[in-house]
Amino acid sequence: MIKILHSILIILFVFMSMITKSISSDISTILRNQQLTVFDIGVFRLQEDLKSTYPEIKKHKDVPYEDIYMDVVTSYRNNSVDLIISIPVNENLKKENYMSDSFRCRNIFNSVRDHLLRNENMSNYRFTMATSYLTSIFSTPSSWPRWRYDQSVLEELVNLVKLEVILRPTTELAFKDNVNPVSCKGGLETENNEIIISMKYN
């Protein structure tokens, strides 16, 4: 009886070893079969492009790269793709600094947006530049989407993607003057006077 049980355990061990080996040796197939959508690719491209805007940000605010928060945040519920740039500042952000803070925020927004659209035809309207850029972002080299000819879809596309620049107080400034962040937000097609400025004063 003991010999039979021992034999069964050996057989089970060999069988499990074969299954484990089969799974591990087939990992390349598993990876190749994982679904990657054009949306996923587009978000990754936006993240990389956003990182490349650091030299433009530095022209307006000399902050180390590692101190700046940059990310692409997606929301299925809100049907949105937000390009977020949060920059620490150690001055202003008070009511009396409204003009200078909003001016700086808009300037950074415009510099980042212009950098993202730098390879588009500058003679076109900003809306056309934005749709051209975003269409290439959410396309693959092997296929060019037919929806690029649908004006209503292109309008949805530019409305989907928003850029937000946030000037946030450093910890020292926040405790010292009890101030809040200032942000400016808009689409890549948004004109300077249409950028939404959000400021909250204590």
Side-chain angles (χ1 to χ4, degrees), residues 54-181:
Y54 172 66
E56 299 302 317
I57 297 170
K58 194 174 181 180
K59 291 177 183 177
H60 301 279
K61 184 64 181 173
D62 191 5
V63 178
Y65 177 83
E66 57 271 15
D67 290 346
I68 299 175
Y69 173 81
M70 288 189 277
D71 200 5
V72 177
V73 180
T74 65
S75 171
Y76 182 80
R77 185 181 65 180
N78 297 327
N79 192 30
S80 62
V81 177
D82 292 320
L83 284 64
I84 307 293
I85 298 178
S86 180
I87 306 162
V89 296
N90 54 10
E91 75 280 330
N92 296 354
L93 303 182
K94 301 176 185 178
K95 192 171 185 177
E96 58 266 29
N97 307 122
Y98 171 81
M99 291 301 292
S100 60
D101 289 336
S102 60
F103 188 70
R104 174 186 280 178
C105 196
R106 281 194 186 98
N107 281 344
I108 296 174
F109 180 100
N110 286 325
S111 292
V112 169
R113 186 261 316 281
D114 291 346
H115 180 81
L116 293 175
L117 303 182
R118 68 192 182 281
N119 293 325
E120 306 305 321
N121 188 341
M122 298 301 287
S123 64
N124 289 336
Y125 291 110
R126 204 179 297 280
F127 176 84
T128 307
M129 295 168 64
T131 55
S132 176
Y133 169 71
L134 292 174
T135 300
S136 64
I137 283 290
F138 290 103
S139 303
T140 61
S142 59
S143 66
W144 193 246
R146 285 178 291 179
W147 49 258
R148 65 186 169 136
Y149 302 111
D150 189 326
Q151 190 68 17
S152 64
V153 174
L154 293 178
E155 288 177 4
E156 286 184 33
L157 181 61
V158 295
N159 288 329
L160 175 71
V161 180
K162 301 296 181 186
L163 170 63
E164 182 173 16
V165 174
I166 303 167
L167 304 180
R168 71 176 191 272
T170 58
T171 303
E172 182 182 358
L173 179 63
F175 279 113
K176 175 187 171 186
D177 292 334
N178 192 27
V179 294
N180 294 306

